[in-house]
């Protein structure tokens, strides 16, 4: 349960928090919020002060029906922010949210430490090869299709069984390339209906058969605010509740917009472990 981030061994036997920084204008919750260097650095400082181990930076919104972003535009958004963060907070462990191998390569060369791929290599056949050469931890998410098409691809006979099979194949593929540190992400909201999201949450413990750390990203998502008939702005309480359930089912990383609350959730969870 340890992963190697730029020579630093991170022990995931105790759950960790991954804070989100979106440098996109159209992300579903905080899109366009961090435009100036001052805004970005203030948010990074807040995320770190509140207890995040990782910061996940994304420059391509993966919300349903998100606008296409060219590789050049993704790089132009992302790389200067990586440089800015590491110049001011050099010890920051940066995860890069991308499905493009060239963006992954440039990000790691600029100082990022992990790759978080929503497609687990399905959208770029070179991704696993590049990650293996870079020798960095690789987060593989379950999704079908693309952000533009995924919501039409929600047909499953047995969703959890199919997801476990999907991850088994992906793990074998990643190992064949020589990737050592793997993390799985069930992909809440990606090619899943509201009901399917809750079924996956209910059966999260079944993914333990893969014997890999699991990242959970449910922060302020539609499975929360649609169920509660509210908005993203009023979804923090629901997020915290589901994060607690995920921790009970052995989640090792909580990817969140609200770091303080997730950190408190983990502290209380840890007190219950005997």
């Amino acid at each position: 349960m340890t992963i190697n981030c730029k020579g630093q061994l991170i022990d995931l036997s105790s759950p960790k928090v991954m804070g989100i920084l979106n440098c996109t204008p159209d992300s579903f919750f905080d899109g366009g919020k961090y435009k100036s260097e001052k805004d970005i650095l203030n948010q990074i400082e807040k995320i770190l002060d509140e207890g995040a181990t990782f910061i996940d930076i994304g420059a391509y919104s993966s919300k349903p029906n998100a606008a296409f972003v060219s590789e050049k535009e993704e790089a132009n958004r992302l790389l200067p922010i990586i440089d800015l963060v590491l110049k001011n907070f050099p010890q920051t462990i940066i995860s890069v949210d991308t499905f493009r191998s060239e963006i992954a390569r440039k990000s790691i060369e600029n100082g990022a430490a992990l790759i978080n791929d929503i497609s687990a290599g399905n959208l770029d056949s070179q991704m696993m090869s590049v990650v293996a050469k870079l020798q960095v931890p690789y987060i593989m998410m379950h999704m079908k299709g693309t952000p533009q098409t995924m919501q039409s691809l929600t047909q499953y006979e047995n969703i959890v069984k199919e997801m476990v099979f999907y991850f088994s194949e992906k793990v074998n593929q990643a190992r064949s390339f020589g990737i050592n540190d793997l993390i799985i992400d069930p992909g809440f909201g990606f090619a899943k209906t509201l009901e399917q999201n809750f079924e996956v949450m209910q059966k999260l413990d079944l993914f333990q058969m893969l014997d890999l750390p699991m990242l959970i990203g449910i922060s302020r998502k539609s499975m929360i605010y649609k169920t509660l008939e509210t908005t993203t702005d009023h979804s923090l309480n629901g997020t915290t509740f589901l994060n607690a359930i995920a921790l009970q089912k052995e989640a090792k990383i909580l990817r969140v917009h609200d770091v303080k609350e997730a950190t408190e959730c983990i502290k209380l969870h840890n007190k219950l472990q005997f």
Side-chain angles (χ1 to χ4, degrees), residues 192-208:
K192 298 170 187 71
T193 65
L194 199 66
E195 293 75 16
Q196 288 167 345
N197 283 318
F198 280 100
E199 180 180 353
V200 172
M201 175 62 72
Q202 183 185 27
K203 298 176 180 177
L204 269 186
D205 49 316
L206 296 179
F207 292 95
Q208 292 307 304

Side-chain angles (χ1 to χ4, degrees), residues 219-232:
S219 182
R220 297 182 180 267
K221 285 188 173 178
S222 61
M223 66 182 289
I224 298 168
Y225 66 79
K226 287 183 178 178
T227 299
L228 300 178
E229 298 180 349
T230 184
T231 64
T232 54

Side-chain angles (χ1 to χ4, degrees), residues 20-230:
I20 299 168
L21 180 76
N22 286 315
C23 48
T24 59
D26 58 344
S27 291
F28 77 94
F29 175 60
D30 54 1
K33 197 173 181 180
Y34 310 111
K35 295 179 180 178
S36 70
E37 289 190 359
K38 182 180 178 182
D39 290 340
I40 291 168
L41 292 176
N42 284 343
Q43 181 63 8
I44 293 293
E45 185 174 27
K46 180 174 184 286
I47 288 172
L48 293 174
D49 285 348
E50 290 181 348
T53 299
F54 313 98
I55 293 181
D56 194 48
I57 303 178
Y60 188 138
S61 174
S62 55
K63 70 178 184 180
N65 302 310
F68 175 83
V69 176
S70 70
E71 189 168 307
K72 181 179 179 181
E73 176 64 17
E74 186 179 2
N76 288 342
R77 290 177 181 178
L78 181 64
L79 300 180
I81 292 180
I82 294 174
D83 293 340
L84 176 68
V85 171
L86 292 177
K87 180 181 177 182
N88 289 272
F89 303 96
Q91 301 306 311
T92 305
I93 301 175
I94 294 177
S95 164
V96 170
D97 184 355
T98 186
F99 55 79
R100 289 171 167 148
S101 61
E102 188 62 13
I103 298 293
R105 183 184 64 78
K106 290 177 179 177
S107 298
I108 298 300
E109 289 174 352
N110 279 44
L114 304 87
I115 298 301
N116 181 10
D117 180 3
I118 61 170
S119 80
N122 283 341
L123 297 180
D124 187 331
S125 61
Q126 298 302 308
M127 178 62 95
M128 287 195 187
S129 173
V130 168
V131 170
K133 289 174 184 175
L134 295 168
Q135 280 299 296
V136 295
Y138 185 44
I139 303 168
M140 305 186 298
M141 195 187 79
H142 174 267
M143 179 180 74
K144 294 197 292 185
T146 68
Q148 291 77 25
T149 65
M150 61 185 180
Q151 291 312 101
S152 65
L153 301 171
T154 58
Q155 297 77 34
Y156 304 89
E157 288 187 16
N158 183 322
I159 185 169
V160 173
K161 183 178 179 180
E162 290 177 44
M163 288 174 66
V164 169
F165 181 74
Y166 168 95
F167 280 124
S168 297
E169 287 195 318
K170 288 296 178 184
V171 169
N172 287 337
Q173 184 182 3
R175 297 293 191 214
S176 73
F177 279 103
I179 301 175
N180 294 317
D181 293 336
L182 294 172
I183 298 163
I184 61 169
D185 175 357
F188 288 99
F190 289 80
K192 298 170 187 71
T193 65
L194 199 66
E195 293 75 16
Q196 288 167 345
N197 283 318
F198 280 100
E199 180 180 353
V200 172
M201 175 62 72
Q202 183 185 27
K203 298 176 180 177
L204 269 186
D205 49 316
L206 296 179
F207 292 95
Q208 292 307 304
M209 68 180 69
L210 296 163
D211 198 29
L212 288 172
M214 182 166 53
L215 178 149
I216 296 298
I218 53 170
S219 182
R220 297 182 180 267
K221 285 188 173 178
S222 61
M223 66 182 289
I224 298 168
Y225 66 79
K226 287 183 178 178
T227 299
L228 300 178
E229 298 180 349
T230 184

